[in-house]
Amino acid sequence: MASERILIRGGQVVTENGVSVADVLVEGERIAAVGQGLDATSAAVFDASGCLVMPGGVDVHTHMGMPLGDIRTSDDFETGTIAAAFGGTTTVVDFANPVRGQSLLEAFETWRRWADGSVVIDYSLHVTVPEVRASTGDEMARLLDRGVTSFKVFMAYPDTLMLSDPELGAALRWAASSGALIMVHAEDGLAISQLVNEAIRAGHTDPMWHVRTRPPALEGKAAAKVIAMAGEVGASLYVVHLTCRDALLEVARAKAMGQAVFAETCPHYLFLTEEHVARGGFEGAKYVCSPPLREASHGQALWGGLADGTLDVVATDHCAFNFVGQKDRGIEDFRRIPNGLPGVETRLFLLWQGVREGRLAPERFVGLVSTAPARMFGLWPRKGEIAPGADADILVWDPDKETALSCSSLHTAVDYSPYEGMKVKGGVVRVYSRGHLVIDAGRFVGTRGHGRFLPRTRPVLPGRASVL
Ligand code: URP
Ligand code: ZN
Ligand code: ZN
């Protein structure tokens, strides 16, 4: 139950705009006041001195219970949102994935059924567009009315998800006229298929060939193309899971021209490299995702992009498959390895290392993991903000606490951790979701079904003047 009044006292409140020592008063599900010496009458007081008090994380890229052929990602909406909360995240935005021939609305309703009653924190949904048919614009418009304001399109996976150029153009034109945001998986699917076929013909089957057949140049090429197409029709564009210098340069160029292009990267592209995929004994399959992990210098470029604003958001692409029984389907053929890594629980711990190492200011950290994604996906200022009126989604964070990222200490329902053996500084003390305590001193104290579906407004996108 939510306490009527909670006073989180004396922490360093961090927002995108600054850091200051203040109390945060919660009344019911909302933040009532932020300031010094707030009246604690009838409030349950929590002493946050020595801690940071931040808006809960907003992870706008997860795949809970996602079907893939006859299997599903190992975290469902309940285990996945519990893991998210343990990691300081209080909102996830997942993807409803219709298959070709299925209505977008039907997929949306299916994902709602899976999530409603299961989630322990608030959630929302993007919808994937796997084809553009006569009815697609109308279906997207109806979804917009239900609070789905972002749609993912694929330039990869020709057999299942990839849009043709005319389809991509139609989706972008529709987005430009409706104010919705197109999220794009930018990899050149046809060129990749050719490389994959050549590799298989040559007898290459181990996980590293997944990396070798999806080179950075083909991510950069796809990014350049879709950015040009979006520019032509005046659509805003959000590039998901950007991994490499090649695509980063395309986003930087577009931003410099004043184009509304935004981009996300994920912690695994900052902390892991293709060397992990090269690990023997099929261990490398644990690290197979698309786009793939890259050579280390790309990660360094991404850190630069986070600091200089080329990258706008850090999300996880949490797409957990067990090593035993799921990833190992591809033991004789890398094409059969389910793509994706777990990450919803470890995002804040990992990115905090960027603050510790002086790469990011704490304000920028909050912007990347909470405020910017909330804004871009139509959830701000209700989410991603510590201010009167905002939902009391609050993270109390100990900057010096040690957190282990091993499978045995994490809560996500998957049988491995990509960060096995790693210990980091920075840890969760408390997490509130709309004023309800969800995580307290390392224990889950929340409630299944507490989370609600969040209908979203159209994105609030930062304007950018052309520098040219
Ligand atoms: O490997 C990945 N990223 N799997 C999840 C699906 C996607 O493309 O985001
Ligand atoms: Zn993708
Ligand atoms: Zn994804």
Side-chain angles (χ1 to χ4, degrees), residues 61 63 152 317:
H61 193 152
H63 301 281
K152 183 175 178 190
D317 196 5

Side-chain angles (χ1 to χ4, degrees), residues 27 60 74 78 96-97 147 157 202 243 283 289 312 339 349 388 392 467:
E27 284 180 357
V60 292
S74 59
E78 182 177 3
N97 293 340
Y157 306 119
T243 74
E283 275 285 296
C289 56
D312 301 278
N339 289 195
F349 304 122
V467 296

Side-chain angles (χ1 to χ4, degrees), residues 61 63 152 154 157 184-185 240-241 290-291 317:
H61 193 152
H63 301 281
K152 183 175 178 190
F154 282 80
Y157 306 119
V184 64
H185 178 131
V240 295
H241 48 45
S290 294
D317 196 5

Side-chain angles (χ1 to χ4, degrees), residues 153-156 184-188 218-220 222-224 226 239-241 247 291:
V153 298
F154 282 80
M155 300 172 83
V184 64
H185 178 131
E187 285 188 294
D188 183 336
L218 294 184
E219 187 181 333
V226 68
V239 182
V240 295
H241 48 45

Side-chain angles (χ1 to χ4, degrees), residues 6-232:
I6 304 165
L7 188 75
I8 302 169
R9 183 179 265 163
Q12 284 199 298
V13 175
V14 188
T15 68
E16 203 185 36
N17 298 319
V19 184
S20 61
V21 175
D23 303 337
V24 178
L25 180 66
V26 175
E27 284 180 357
E29 299 200 331
R30 303 257 171 142
I31 295 173
V34 182
Q36 291 184 344
L38 295 183
D39 176 14
T41 308
S42 76
V45 177
F46 181 73
D47 179 8
S49 48
C51 291
L52 307 185
V53 177
M54 308 191 267
V58 177
D59 187 347
V60 292
H61 193 152
T62 67
H63 301 281
M64 307 301 183
M66 181 190 81
L68 183 71
D70 59 348
I71 59 173
R72 294 177 78 160
T73 51
S74 59
D75 262 316
D76 60 21
F77 274 101
E78 182 177 3
T79 64
T81 54
I82 290 173
F86 268 110
T89 286
T90 50
T91 303
V92 296
V93 189
D94 207 90
F95 291 81
N97 293 340
V99 292
R100 286 178 182 160
Q102 186 186 14
S103 101
L104 305 186
L105 280 131
E106 187 188 320
F108 169 73
E109 295 299 349
T110 301
W111 258 258
R112 289 269 336 242
R113 269 199 307 282
W114 289 339
D116 290 336
S118 296
V119 286
V120 306
I121 54 173
D122 290 348
Y123 84 101
S124 192
L125 290 170
H126 317 283
V127 174
T128 297
V129 180
E131 63 184 341
V132 176
R133 326 182 261 175
S135 61
T136 302
D138 185 47
E139 289 182 55
M140 289 165 89
R142 287 169 65 195
L143 283 165
L144 210 49
D145 291 341
R146 293 176 196 210
V148 176
T149 55
S150 45
F151 296 86
K152 183 175 178 190
V153 298
F154 282 80
M155 300 172 83
Y157 306 119
D159 298 337
T160 49
L161 293 164
M162 189 180 93
L163 297 187
S164 66
D165 287 358
E167 287 177 307
L168 191 51
L172 288 164
R173 273 195 307 281
W174 179 85
S177 65
S178 67
L181 185 61
I182 293 293
M183 309 167 77
V184 64
H185 178 131
E187 285 188 294
D188 183 336
L190 293 179
I192 288 168
S193 288
Q194 200 177 334
L195 293 179
V196 168
N197 291 339
E198 282 168 19
I200 294 294
R201 272 201 300 275
H204 300 305
T205 58
D206 66 74
M208 196 54 195
W209 283 91
H210 175 81
V211 175
R212 293 195 181 112
T213 54
R214 308 181 88 95
L218 294 184
E219 187 181 333
K221 183 178 165 213
K225 176 170 152 181
V226 68
I227 287 169
M229 290 174 79
E232 214 166 273

